[in-house]
Amino acid sequence: EIAVGGKITWINNMPNFLHVIGIRGKKETGTWKTSPINDIEAAQIMEGESYSFVFDIEPGEYQWYSKTKYPTTSGTVTVKAAE
């Protein structure tokens, strides 16, 4: 859980592995949108590199996921209104 405007950083600790972080929101039907909301080119990180995303977006539930050969690597981020 994070407030609007909060930042999350992903760090790639896997040797010889390109990790690409995609972030997408939910459709009104409750399924995940197909298109990522972040810049995929900027989200390509090699071992020892990091990628940060500022959730300066509408409150709601968002999914981060790997756009690599490990598509099961994913998680959710709940963005709450700033207090």
Side-chain angles (χ1 to χ4, degrees):
E1 192 171 293
I2 191 169
V4 169
K7 177 173 77 171
I8 293 179
T9 300
W10 290 265
I11 301 170
N12 184 359
N13 292 321
M14 295 183 68
N16 302 314
F17 183 74
L18 170 67
H19 198 54
V20 183
I21 302 292
I23 302 169
R24 57 187 169 197
K26 280 191 173 180
K27 295 180 182 178
E28 291 180 17
T29 60
T31 59
W32 295 110
K33 292 182 180 178
T34 305
S35 300
I37 59 173
N38 63 321
D39 180 358
I40 292 298
E41 296 299 318
Q44 297 183 25
I45 54 177
M46 293 296 292
E47 179 186 8
E49 296 180 337
S50 64
Y51 169 70
S52 296
F53 183 78
V54 176
F55 285 82
D56 193 15
I57 51 182
E58 290 184 31
E61 191 171 40
Y62 295 84
Q63 180 189 48
W64 68 268
Y65 62 99
S66 177
K67 291 185 61 73
T68 60
K69 63 181 180 179
Y70 297 105
T72 57
T73 303
S74 65
T76 57
V77 177
T78 302
V79 179
K80 299 278 188 180
E83 296 179 8

